[in-house]
Amino acid sequence: MIDSVSDRRPPVSPQLAIRVAALGVVAFMLFAIIFFRLWYLQVLSGDQYLAQAQTNKVRVQPLPAPRGSIVDRNGDTIVGNESAIVVKIRPDSLPASEKKAAADYGDAVIARSQRPKGSQGAPIVIPEIPQDLAPRFRRLATTLAMPTRRIQEIVVRGLFLAGYAPITVREGVDESVQGYIAERQEEFPGVSVDRAFIRTYPGKELAAQILGTVGQVSQEQLDAKTFPGVTLGSIVGKTGIEREYDKYLRGRDGKERILVDAQGNPRGEGLRIEPKPGNDLQLTLDLGVQRTGQVSYASIAGSKPGAFVAMDPRNGDVIAMGSFPSFDPSLLAKPISQKQYDRIFNDGSTPQFNRATGANYATGSTFKPITALAGLEDGKISTTDTINDQGCLKIGVQERCNAKKAVFGPVDLRDAMKVSSDIYFYLLGQSTNTRDPDGGAIQRVARKFGFERQTGIDLPSESQGLVPDPTWRKKVGEDEKQCRRDKGIPQDASLATAGAGGCAISDGRQWSIGDNVSLSIGQGDLQATPLQMAVAYAGFAQSGRIPRPRLGRAVTDDRGALIQTLPASGGRSVKIDPEYRDAIMDGLHLAASAEGGTSTSVFDGWNQSRFPVFGKTGTAQVTTRVLDQSWYLAYSYDGPDKKRPIVVAVTVEDGGFGAETAAPIACQILKRWFATGGTAQRNNNRAAACAAGTDVSF
């Protein structure tokens, strides 16, 4: 049978058969190679690669972001940054013996701090280095050229304060040290050497209490979400401006993934996210005025504690603010020994305490404008009523006199303010006294002008102060009775006995006319801060406009471009009769310029026609101090258009009469302010050389 044509197929040529055979051989060889490689990796080298996988890990290394700089109103740097090499120890690398020693130390420190002052006993001693840790610390001490005991001190305190975060042992080491430790990680387990940014303070002690400090975020702050988005070990603002504006200054940390072996030695790098620098913050401060205030204070008041404030009364911009004694904040930007810390901060002077916003003082005669306005509004006096000041006055069984028993004769409101007649204001205190629970006219006007309330300045904390009244007097009497009951002190025991037992809150008496008389001249139980006094005088200067003080002015990026203007925080208005206000301001001007004025001698030769000074001295008697507390409040401006207005408050503990110490300091501050109207106008803007105190050059 013949085949169909369609079933016929072409024969396979010898060449095609050879090609197919060759491709088959190649495919077989490729599969053989792959199979052999898999067999080699899994069977012959499996244990080796398993070990490598187990000994290599990925470590996420934080890349700290530099905090933004802080500058003054003219762009001059107050706080900056510098890059430094720092040596740290990871807490998880320390033995249990060290952690237990740190915990015991912390418990002892806390227990000591809870005991009353005077009975706390000797400071708690840092425990000895555990034997299993001593060789490591000795090697590190030799490398860093520092005592082994110092390393132990830093580590124990670091574990106690923040046992979860890396402990900085030393900052600013040489690059050679960095390389030495990096090459010998097996000799320094848990030790890392990184670059970090450290805060720098070109002005050293300038505005130290205002600027505040930075440090690692605490576990309590993380738990409380005080700083949203912040991770373990981050640097945050702890106090002052650093704390208040932390969200602008902090920036955003970056991170880097690093492959390390079991000994922590780097084996490769991975993903890297660069840090984002924090924004810069511009303050309302003027560094020139700030420096003049601090230099003047130191040269005139010496080492006596106190404070000053200079403020624009129109908007509350703080031009300068100082507290004494001061300190160099750069000391706290790096590890500091307990001995060094105690020498600076635990000598009883509390230099970190901002006395401008937190110290409660009797104000002396600087309070008299409040008393005068209260008497006028209460109808007890008019602006022209006259009294005959004979130097002393008997109120009840107590005789009260002017300073040095000076006799001023017939005085009206303006004269009484000029010569600071206590008798005039004693009579106002007597006539405005009331048994109303909230007090009378003086208490009402004082609270209206901001006493017994926080000013609202953009700092983390400030004092509220006190305006005494019958309700307060009754409360402290009840508190004293309860204190004596709690401590087992007889109710009829003397105040000295109660004080020795931890009470003496009050002598238990009821409110009396004498309380109001003392209040009328800023004495007795009145408590106010220098900032509150500046705000009150700004209210008089602005005809009842009470400003809210502020320090933050604008936020810029690291190239200086404006990101956000921080608006003036506003204020509030109180009603003042223009006639009353003018009479009080006239009296304040006479006190600084007319013959017989309490501070006229300080401003001898001052250009009062262009830069009129409205000033009031204050001399507050303090039973616990040798000398009286010196006060001076001043308001001034440039020319009839009232350009560049300024209010200055100065107080010096144990400074004596207001005209002796506080007023010369205020004069120097005013002089500097009016000399900074621009380079071309500098000489023309000089008000005068201050007649008292040490002259400070521009």
Side-chain angles (χ1 to χ4, degrees):
M1 181 173 121
I2 300 174
D3 293 334
S4 171
V5 175
S6 61
D7 291 335
R8 293 178 183 175
R9 294 177 175 83
V12 177
S13 66
Q15 293 85 358
L16 180 60
I18 292 173
R19 290 176 183 174
V20 172
L23 286 175
V25 171
V26 170
F28 177 79
M29 292 177 64
L30 289 175
F31 278 111
I33 291 171
I34 294 173
F35 176 79
F36 178 77
R37 180 60 178 168
L38 290 174
W39 174 79
Y40 174 81
L41 292 175
Q42 293 183 6
V43 179
L44 295 184
S45 303
D47 293 340
Q48 176 185 348
Y49 286 108
L50 177 61
Q52 289 181 359
Q54 292 174 340
T55 57
N56 284 275
K57 298 180 181 179
V58 174
R59 177 184 296 171
V60 178
Q61 180 73 27
L63 299 175
R67 289 179 72 82
S69 298
I70 301 176
V71 302
D72 80 339
R73 61 171 56 205
N74 302 311
D76 295 329
T77 300
I78 308 176
V79 184
N81 299 294
E82 67 178 9
S83 177
I85 301 174
V86 299
V87 177
K88 298 181 180 181
I89 294 180
R90 297 196 316 275
D92 58 8
S93 70
L94 297 171
S97 55
E98 180 77 335
K99 296 177 181 178
K100 183 180 185 305
D104 293 341
Y105 168 80
D107 292 341
V109 169
I110 293 173
R112 179 178 181 270
S113 66
Q114 293 174 343
R115 294 194 290 269
K117 288 186 177 180
S119 60
Q120 292 181 334
I124 307 302
V125 178
I126 297 291
E128 296 295 327
I129 306 174
Q131 290 188 358
D132 52 349
L133 187 59
R136 192 194 314 182
F137 277 10
R138 281 196 295 269
R139 286 193 298 271
L140 187 59
T142 301
T143 304
L144 299 180
M146 62 187 298
T148 308
R149 182 67 183 172
R150 175 79 178 106
I151 295 178
Q152 171 70 351
E153 180 181 316
I154 293 172
V155 169
V156 168
R157 191 173 292 112
L159 287 172
F160 162 50
L161 296 175
Y164 49 85
I167 302 162
T168 299
V169 177
R170 188 154 191 176
E171 296 177 340
V173 301
D174 294 336
E175 291 187 359
S176 59
V177 174
Q178 180 183 23
Y180 183 86
I181 294 178
E183 293 171 0
R184 296 166 176 81
Q185 276 290 294
E186 67 280 358
E187 298 179 20
F188 301 98
V191 177
S192 63
V193 187
D194 308 301
R195 284 202 170 269
F197 293 94
I198 303 174
R199 283 310 225 182
T200 59
Y201 304 85
K204 296 188 181 299
E205 295 188 0
L206 288 185
Q209 293 86 352
I210 297 173
L211 300 174
T213 58
V214 297
Q216 287 189 348
V217 63
S218 68
Q219 187 62 52
E220 292 76 10
Q221 290 170 328
L222 288 174
D223 294 341
K225 301 187 185 306
T226 306
F227 299 96
V230 169
T231 57
L232 202 63
S234 296
I235 300 298
V236 297
K238 290 289 189 177
T239 60
I241 286 293
E242 295 276 19
R243 172 67 184 87
E244 189 72 15
Y245 289 98
D246 180 78
K247 66 178 181 180
Y248 298 113
L249 294 167
R250 187 186 337 124
R252 187 174 64 244
D253 292 344
K255 58 184 177 180
E256 180 181 25
R257 297 180 182 274
I258 301 175
L259 187 67
V260 298
D261 59 21
Q263 285 73 43
N265 298 308
R267 295 303 183 192
E269 297 182 0
L271 178 67
R272 179 184 176 94
I273 300 176
E274 295 295 333
K276 182 181 182 300
N279 295 318
D280 294 344
L281 176 68
Q282 183 183 45
L283 301 183
T284 61
L285 294 180
D286 184 301
L287 269 187
V289 179
Q290 181 74 32
R291 184 176 291 106
T292 295
Q294 296 197 204
V295 171
S296 299
Y297 190 103
S299 63
I300 296 171
S303 60
K304 295 174 181 177
F308 69 82
V309 176
M311 184 177 70
D312 187 330
R314 298 169 300 182
N315 51 23
D317 283 1
V318 176
I319 300 167
M321 179 185 288
S323 178
F324 301 87
S326 191
F327 67 100
D328 185 351
S330 64
L331 296 173
L332 300 180
K334 57 188 68 175
I336 182 173
S337 70
Q338 186 64 46
K339 187 175 182 180
Q340 289 175 305
Y341 187 92
D342 291 341
R343 186 174 64 250
I344 300 170
F345 301 109
N346 287 344
D347 63 351
S349 61
T350 57
Q352 287 179 273
F353 174 51
N354 188 354
R355 286 172 167 80
T357 61
N360 290 317
Y361 295 122
T363 67
S365 294
T366 58
F367 187 76
K368 286 177 178 176
I370 298 294
T371 302
L373 183 58
L376 291 166
E377 290 187 346
D378 211 33
K380 305 302 182 185
I381 55 168
S382 72
T383 58
T384 57
D385 284 349
T386 300
I387 65 108
N388 189 19
D389 182 344
Q390 295 298 311
C392 291
L393 175 68
K394 194 168 186 179
I395 299 177
V397 297
Q398 188 178 24
E399 185 180 55
R400 294 180 182 249
C401 302
N402 290 322
K404 301 180 181 179
K405 295 189 177 181
V407 177
F408 298 114
V411 292
D412 63 7
L413 174 58
R414 290 173 173 84
D415 293 329
M417 200 72 71
K418 179 184 78 170
V419 300
S420 199
S421 166
D422 286 342
I423 298 302
Y424 184 94
F425 291 94
Y426 284 151
L427 290 171
L428 282 181
Q430 185 180 35
S431 64
T432 56
N433 183 55
T434 177
R435 290 191 176 277
D436 185 280
D438 295 327
I442 297 178
Q443 287 86 350
R444 182 182 68 252
V445 173
R447 290 170 179 139
K448 185 167 63 174
F449 273 76
F451 292 85
E452 204 174 64
R453 70 160 69 184
Q454 294 181 346
T455 66
I457 189 171
D458 45 349
L459 287 174
S461 62
E462 65 171 318
S463 175
Q464 179 175 305
L466 172 68
V467 178
D469 58 27
T471 296
W472 170 82
R473 174 64 66 189
K474 180 180 179 181
K475 179 182 183 304
V476 294
E478 294 172 349
D479 290 344
E480 174 68 16
K481 290 179 181 179
Q482 185 61 49
C483 181
R484 294 189 181 203
R485 283 193 292 268
D486 293 343
K487 297 182 180 297
I489 302 172
Q491 294 295 333
D492 58 354
S494 68
L495 202 60
T497 301
C503 292
I505 302 168
S506 167
D507 57 8
R509 62 182 176 82
Q510 297 297 310
W511 179 264
S512 70
I513 194 171
D515 288 310
N516 217 56
V517 169
S518 294
L519 175 63
S520 70
I521 63 165
Q523 292 278 181
D525 298 299
L526 176 70
Q527 295 180 356
T529 68
L531 181 60
Q532 286 175 320
M533 292 303 302
V535 168
Y537 271 64
F540 281 103
Q542 295 298 112
S543 301
R545 177 67 177 171
I546 311 294
R548 181 178 179 180
R550 69 160 184 172
L551 286 159
R553 193 179 194 185
V555 179
T556 63
D557 63 20
D558 56 351
R559 296 181 298 277
L562 180 66
I563 294 176
Q564 178 181 348
T565 298
L566 301 174
S569 48
R572 55 191 176 83
S573 296
V574 298
K575 186 177 180 181
I576 305 179
D577 187 305
E579 180 187 358
Y580 300 163
R581 185 260 182 190
D582 290 345
I584 292 171
M585 297 303 290
D586 287 347
L588 293 174
H589 184 48
L590 292 172
S593 61
E595 183 178 355
T598 55
S599 60
T600 298
S601 61
V602 177
F603 293 92
D604 184 28
W606 186 271
N607 187 351
Q608 293 281 358
S609 61
R610 180 175 175 181
F611 307 100
V613 177
F614 304 78
K616 186 72 194 75
T617 56
T619 307
Q621 297 176 347
V622 183
T623 57
T624 57
R625 299 199 186 104
V626 177
L627 299 176
D628 295 334
Q629 181 153 345
S630 180
W631 277 91
Y632 197 72
L633 267 292
Y635 162 60
S636 186
Y637 51 79
D638 181 357
D641 295 333
K642 299 184 179 181
K643 296 178 294 184
R644 295 170 61 79
I646 185 173
V647 169
V648 177
V650 180
T651 189
V652 181
E653 299 176 21
D654 287 316
F657 287 105
E660 292 179 353
T661 310
I665 298 171
C667 181
Q668 295 285 358
I669 294 172
L670 292 173
K671 173 186 165 185
R672 173 70 191 199
W673 176 244
F674 291 125
T676 55
T679 304
Q681 306 176 26
R682 184 165 178 165
N683 291 331
N684 293 332
N685 280 357
R686 288 180 183 266
C690 298
T694 302
D695 189 47
V696 178
S697 63
F698 296 119

